[in-house]
């Protein structure tokens, strides 16, 4: 659904003339939707206090994940009309796989270590080749 979301967010950005406001609207609607869903499911909101508890083991930097999401959504709003949906998302997938390979290699965020090997590198090369083909044709 990510390409669909990018297309919809791009339309919003064009309608209001600013990709950053479009991203803000997207996040506000998403937050409201999650809140309504949690209310409907009678979620236990008391667990939220653990996120702010310095003794919970959640480092302050983990909160930056929200900024990464905002950057991603805003970037797709800006890039989709310039590059097209296929090229934008082939680059997104390639970038995500490169980052995933690095995270696996180092065991980032307590992920089990899976060292980089030739087969995994070949996968990245093939994804990159796909990006080149999409860009060319």
């Amino acid at each position: 659904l990510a390409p669909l979301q990018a297309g919809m967010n791009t339309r919003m950005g064009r309608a209001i003339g600013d990709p950053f406001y479009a991203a803000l609207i997207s996040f506000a609607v998403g937050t409201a939707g999650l809140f309504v869903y949690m209310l409907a499911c009678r979620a236990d909101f008391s667990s939220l206090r653990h996120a702010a508890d310095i003794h919970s083991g959640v480092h302050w930097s983990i909160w930056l994940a929200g900024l990464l999401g905002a950057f991603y959504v805003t970037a797709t709003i800006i890039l989709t009309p310039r590059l097209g949906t296929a090229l934008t998302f082939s680059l997104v997938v390639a970038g995500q796989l490169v980052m995933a390979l690095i995270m696996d290699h180092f065991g980032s965020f307590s992920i089990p270590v899976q060292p980089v090997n030739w087969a995994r590198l070949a996968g990245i090369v093939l994804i990159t080749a796909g990006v080149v083909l999409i860009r060319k044709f």
Side-chain angles (χ1 to χ4, degrees):
L1 296 175
L4 181 61
Q5 177 193 27
M8 295 165 80
N9 284 337
T10 297
R11 286 281 308 266
M12 179 63 77
R14 283 183 180 158
I16 61 177
D18 190 315
F20 295 96
Y21 282 128
L24 180 65
I25 291 167
S26 180
F27 275 90
V29 171
T31 299
L34 283 171
F35 183 69
V36 168
Y37 174 79
M38 291 179 73
L39 286 175
C41 293
R42 297 186 176 147
D44 179 12
F45 287 92
S46 66
S47 62
L48 287 175
R49 72 174 175 262
H50 298 297
D53 181 5
I54 61 171
H55 302 293
S56 68
V58 177
H59 191 265
W60 66 267
S61 63
I62 300 304
W63 285 77
L64 298 178
L67 290 177
L68 296 175
F71 174 80
Y72 166 77
V73 168
T74 305
T76 61
I77 293 170
I78 293 167
L79 294 174
T80 299
R82 294 179 182 171
L83 302 177
T85 307
L87 182 56
T88 297
F89 280 91
S90 62
L91 289 167
V92 165
V93 169
Q96 288 174 336
L97 288 174
V98 168
M99 190 62 178
L101 198 69
I102 293 167
M103 290 175 65
D104 279 353
H105 182 77
F106 291 106
S108 304
F109 302 103
S110 301
I111 296 168
V113 172
Q114 295 184 5
V116 173
N117 58 39
W118 290 110
R120 294 176 133 227
L121 287 175
I124 297 297
V125 168
L126 290 171
I127 291 291
T128 304
V131 170
V132 170
L133 286 173
I134 289 171
R135 176 70 175 128
K136 191 169 184 159
F137 302 103

